[in-house]
Amino acid sequence: MYTQALDSPGPELASAVPAAEAERERRFQERIDRDEKIEPKDWMPEAYRQTLIRQIAQHAHSEIVGMLPEGNWITRAPSLRRKAVLVAKVQDEGGHGMYLYSAAETLGVSRGELIGQLLAGRAKYSSIFNYPTLTWADIGAIGWLVDGAAIMNQIPLCRCSYGPYARAMVRICKEESFHQRQGYEIMLTLARSGTRAQREMAQDALNRWWWPSLMMFGPSDTDSVHTAQSMRWRIKRFTNDELRQKFIDATVPQARFLGLSIPDADLRWDEATQHYATGPIDWSEFQAVLKGEGPCNRERMGARRAAHESGQWVREAAAAYADKQRARPASGRSGYAQAS
Ligand code: BYC
């Protein structure tokens, strides 16, 4: 009883606590509105922290799972140059995952915990990586469309209110831009100077990747649960539909230049809005992929789990080495100090 009485604030204090909390939140929002960056040691509302952990972790997982569809083609790339470029791209994606897990760690969650959630099937990653890469043209389409969509979504994240995430995005966007160009260059080679079979392969890849790429931007604004609050906190700077439209407007002329057709009978330029209008997106497909029923969800998670298990000895060896280094410093450091 006595202890409980000490733990719970009296009636006067109880009303002061929410008031103090509201005042902190008001000051926090003022900082956001002034476009100040929020840094890891700054006070932040718990919901802001949780929103960032959710988004950054999903983003990190997407980069890691996103290595799989393209990794599938490293051994089959049509030339040494293509192979070297693809290896570098997939390696960049691994690096992006690592920067993003590090950014999430500044919010008080460990990389191990986040990876555990992914492997247990409790975390989301981008829907786009649950589609198969059937031909070499798919590698071109991924670079052109998937990385193109990623850039459209991620450039505004360089101005995200949370400092570590915004800074990680600057480097990521530079690399994504190179990835997009290498994809478009593959499509150019196939569609503009390739054989008839290669042009058909490029068209087939566009047919299969177009709609899933539009879905990458997330549900329509009317169904997006997080957008309004994330915009107030300046984590997001544009809504899902705004970014999707920017991507469509940029990509349709690129498809024309390739001589390929966008697989949408309703696609037309709208003079009134000065934007391309498209046919409806099949959101039931998106929901099915999110539920784990996409063409490759099981395969992707199976590959991640197998990679994690077969890497167990590497983690153990690294930990043993780190322990050994920690046990050694007395002699190591004094030796260094004496020598210098
Ligand atoms: N796939 O309220 P909403 C890459 C979820 S990697 C799966 O609009 P939010 C690349 C959403 O998480 C590309 N789930 O959410 C790598 C939420 O679920 P929960 C990854 C999706 O967060 C390798 C629910 O639907 N990019 O570029 O305001 C090779 C409601 O959505 C998807 C990023 O992660 C989806 N497509 O907006 C090549 C960028 N969309 O958490 C390329 C950072 C939505 O409530 N993330 N959901 O269970 C973002 O910008 C935002 O999180 C999103 C969604 C725009 C994706």
Side-chain angles (χ1 to χ4, degrees), residues 54 58 93 124 127 150 153 216 218 224-226 236 240:
R54 177 185 66 78
Q58 287 175 2
E93 282 149 10
K124 287 197 171 84
S127 49
N153 164 275
M216 270 180 82
S224 166
V225 282
H226 302 295
K236 288 170 90 163
N240 299 353

Side-chain angles (χ1 to χ4, degrees), residues 59-79:
H59 195 166
H61 299 326
S62 304
E63 296 283 356
I64 299 301
V65 179
M67 296 165 79
L68 296 170
E70 289 171 293
N72 192 26
W73 276 88
I74 289 174
T75 53
R76 290 178 287 161
S79 70

Side-chain angles (χ1 to χ4, degrees), residues 268-277:
R268 63 181 173 84
W269 175 252
D270 184 338
E271 272 301 329
T273 61
Q274 291 290 297
H275 292 293
Y276 284 99

Side-chain angles (χ1 to χ4, degrees), residues 278-306:
T278 64
I281 292 175
D282 179 1
W283 290 114
S284 64
E285 176 179 323
F286 176 73
Q287 292 305 339
V289 173
L290 258 58
K291 272 195 254 149
E293 292 156 15
C296 299
N297 293 61
R298 280 176 197 82
E299 189 184 325
R300 299 290 182 243
M301 288 312 300
R304 280 309 318 147
R305 287 187 190 113

Side-chain angles (χ1 to χ4, degrees), residues 29-332:
Q29 188 62 46
E30 276 176 5
R31 292 190 62 196
I32 299 271
D33 295 343
R34 283 195 301 270
D35 252 343
E36 279 179 32
K37 286 277 177 275
I38 307 301
E39 298 298 339
K41 289 187 178 159
D42 295 348
W43 183 86
M44 61 188 80
E46 189 50 26
Y48 177 83
R49 182 195 306 279
Q50 290 305 330
T51 297
L52 279 166
I53 292 176
R54 177 185 66 78
Q55 177 166 326
I56 301 173
Q58 287 175 2
H59 195 166
H61 299 326
S62 304
E63 296 283 356
I64 299 301
V65 179
M67 296 165 79
L68 296 170
E70 289 171 293
N72 192 26
W73 276 88
I74 289 174
T75 53
R76 290 178 287 161
S79 70
L80 186 57
R81 174 176 163 266
R82 294 287 188 205
K83 193 190 286 278
V85 171
L86 190 57
V87 168
K89 179 182 192 286
V90 172
Q91 198 173 10
D92 283 352
E93 282 149 10
H96 297 175
M98 294 306 120
Y99 315 149
L100 289 163
Y101 284 128
S102 299
E105 284 188 310
T106 66
L107 292 155
V109 59
S110 74
R111 186 166 86 183
E113 199 178 321
L114 295 175
I115 291 176
Q117 289 168 3
L118 173 71
L119 299 178
R122 293 200 309 274
K124 287 197 171 84
Y125 58 88
S126 183
S127 49
I128 194 75
F129 301 118
N130 293 305
Y131 291 85
T133 41
L134 303 179
T135 70
W136 173 249
D138 288 13
I139 302 306
I142 289 183
W144 171 35
L145 301 173
V146 175
D147 287 276
I151 294 171
M152 208 49 100
N153 164 275
Q154 292 174 12
I155 292 279
L157 291 175
C158 299
R159 292 189 293 120
C160 157
S161 58
Y162 187 58
Y165 191 24
R167 289 189 289 274
M169 291 317 301
V170 173
R171 176 161 176 188
I172 292 178
C173 284
K174 286 187 179 150
E175 293 178 350
E176 296 287 15
S177 157
F178 155 75
H179 296 172
Q180 197 269 351
R181 284 175 212 189
Q182 71 82 39
Y184 195 68
E185 198 247 345
I186 293 175
M187 295 304 276
L188 264 178
T189 309
L190 295 174
R192 294 281 298 245
S193 43
T195 61
R196 184 171 169 191
Q198 286 170 326
R199 277 198 300 282
E200 283 172 4
M201 192 164 76
Q203 180 64 58
D204 173 59
L206 171 57
N207 293 348
R208 285 180 290 105
W209 289 93
W210 174 252
W211 292 104
S213 298
L214 298 191
M215 293 173 200
M216 270 180 82
F217 292 91
S220 69
D221 292 351
T222 43
D223 294 328
S224 166
V225 282
H226 302 295
T227 294
Q229 183 58 63
S230 288
M231 300 265 290
R232 270 195 292 280
W233 278 329
R234 298 197 183 178
I235 295 172
K236 288 170 90 163
R237 297 276 179 163
F238 295 95
T239 70
N240 299 353
D241 285 339
E242 284 167 352
L243 290 172
R244 191 172 5 253
Q245 187 65 56
K246 277 175 187 274
F247 172 75
I248 293 166
D249 290 346
T251 310
V252 171
Q254 294 169 356
R256 296 238 164 93
F257 186 76
L258 292 172
L260 300 178
S261 356
I262 302 277
D264 178 357
D266 298 324
L267 183 76
R268 63 181 173 84
W269 175 252
D270 184 338
E271 272 301 329
T273 61
Q274 291 290 297
H275 292 293
Y276 284 99
T278 64
I281 292 175
D282 179 1
W283 290 114
S284 64
E285 176 179 323
F286 176 73
Q287 292 305 339
V289 173
L290 258 58
K291 272 195 254 149
E293 292 156 15
C296 299
N297 293 61
R298 280 176 197 82
E299 189 184 325
R300 299 290 182 243
M301 288 312 300
R304 280 309 318 147
R305 287 187 190 113
H308 192 75
E309 277 160 29
S310 64
Q312 180 64 26
W313 71 270
V314 180
R315 291 189 295 280
E316 282 168 6
Y321 181 72
D323 286 347
K324 212 161 102 185
Q325 292 299 99
R326 266 195 295 275
R328 213 188 262 170
S331 58

